[in-house]
Amino acid sequence: MISIKSKNEIEIMKKSGEILACTHNKIKEAIQPGITTIELDRIAEEFIRKNGGIPSFKGYRGYPGAIDYPASICTSVNNQVVHGIPGLEVLKDGDIISVDIGVYYNGFHSDAARTYPVGTISEKAERLISITEQSFYEGIKFAVKGNRIVDISAAVQDYVEKNGYSVVREYVGHGIGREMHEPPQIPNYRTRQRGPRLEPGMTLAVEPMVNEGSYHVRLLENMWTVVTEDGGLSAHYENTIAITDGEPIILT
Ligand code: MF3
Ligand code: CO
């Protein structure tokens, strides 16, 4: 069952998303060569809590056999795709880092990811980041009532592949609200299922994960961190959006 949010609930999610967007700004300012990913985690957690939120990811239930997620944010560097765990790793000039953040506020989650440059990065890394970001916007052009999920998926895939990159298959976007992961799934590529029709009041996390090489990924031994199989770079861009009678609203 896809939950439909009332105007009031969407206002709460907007506030949740606002805290999240400000947290991203804090993180963006803090990123520079020499900082560790655990320091970024600390900055994010403090800021979220100071603003009345709770980090959605902390303690999130992992796959059977995995530890519960131990940090407040995900930090995925270079060939890491998603779910990198903050730690003592020091960021260096030329790295790219995908930062994924979830905020729980007043009963509702919001979820958003960005890939940031560390210092000065290569032109090819810059291009990967901007194509990934733009693929989100290409996708949500189709996030209007009456369309189906697959219309978003296809637009993301076509834009990414036209630009010479690939979209990750194993991980997908999702509905979001009282739970961080709600139905429907939102793949970033065409699937046989066309998905449900979009209706006003649906809130969705649309999140293209884009690889410069092949779309194949591998899970590290920590059972969380996902890396590209070929070692190529990967970027991530995600926002929580609300479907309306007209254009979608970006809540984050
Ligand atoms: N945005 C990610 C997702 O939708 C965040 C999950 S990280 C976790 O899957 F730690 F919470 F699992
Ligand atoms: Co998400």
Side-chain angles (χ1 to χ4, degrees), residues 36-51:
T36 62
T37 51
I38 195 74
E39 287 175 275
L40 298 177
D41 187 78
R42 170 87 50 88
I43 291 166
E45 177 164 7
E46 272 178 15
F47 187 83
I48 291 166
R49 293 193 192 278
K50 202 178 74 192
N51 285 280

Side-chain angles (χ1 to χ4, degrees), residues 26-184:
K26 284 271 167 207
I27 293 296
K28 184 181 183 175
E29 280 170 27
I31 288 175
Q32 53 171 310
I35 197 165
T36 62
T37 51
I38 195 74
E39 287 175 275
L40 298 177
D41 187 78
R42 170 87 50 88
I43 291 166
E45 177 164 7
E46 272 178 15
F47 187 83
I48 291 166
R49 293 193 192 278
K50 202 178 74 192
N51 285 280
I54 294 171
S56 300
F57 299 172
K58 202 164 203 178
Y60 189 83
R61 195 57 167 287
Y63 298 106
I67 55 166
D68 291 348
Y69 194 72
S72 294
I73 63 175
C74 302
T75 51
S76 309
V77 179
N78 294 333
N79 64 316
Q80 297 181 348
V81 179
V82 288
H83 304 169
I85 302 175
L88 297 175
E89 176 172 14
V90 178
L91 297 181
K92 49 184 202 311
D93 194 57
D95 284 343
I96 62 171
I97 177 172
S98 300
V99 178
D100 195 346
I101 309 178
V103 170
Y104 185 65
Y105 173 82
N106 207 349
F108 288 88
H109 294 275
S110 57
D111 187 2
R114 309 274 184 266
T115 301
Y116 297 112
V118 181
T120 311
I121 61 172
S122 68
E123 244 168 66
K124 76 168 190 159
E126 227 153 66
R127 180 170 180 274
L128 175 68
I129 290 174
S130 65
I131 298 291
T132 304
E133 174 172 350
Q134 187 58 33
S135 73
F136 164 84
Y137 288 99
E138 296 299 323
I140 68 160
K141 285 178 185 170
F142 294 85
V144 292
K145 69 172 176 184
N147 278 352
R148 289 186 187 271
I149 292 293
V150 71
D151 299 314
I152 300 175
S153 311
V156 170
Q157 177 178 27
D158 288 347
Y159 181 77
V160 166
E161 292 181 353
K162 191 177 73 192
N163 282 285
Y165 299 132
S166 63
V167 288
V168 171
R169 305 292 203 260
E170 272 101 320
Y171 299 85
V172 297
H174 49 93
I176 181 169
R178 291 191 182 276
E179 304 291 334
M180 185 169 67
H181 293 130
E182 295 184 355

Side-chain angles (χ1 to χ4, degrees), residues 180-195:
M180 185 169 67
H181 293 130
E182 295 184 355
Q185 294 201 341
I186 309 171
N188 295 299
Y189 59 98
R190 284 182 185 78
T191 55
R192 298 170 62 113
Q193 281 117 15
R194 298 162 65 212

Side-chain angles (χ1 to χ4, degrees), residues 230-247:
D230 61 13
L233 293 177
S234 187
H236 189 192
Y237 191 89
E238 172 183 35
N239 282 307
T240 299
I241 67 169
I243 305 300
T244 71
D245 274 312
E247 303 283 296

Side-chain angles (χ1 to χ4, degrees), residues 3-21:
S3 65
I4 299 296
K5 284 79 177 179
S6 67
K7 285 249 150 58
N8 218 354
E9 290 172 328
I10 287 179
E11 285 309 309
I12 298 170
M13 288 187 69
K14 214 178 245 173
K15 176 69 190 161
S16 175
E18 231 171 74
I19 297 169
L20 204 171

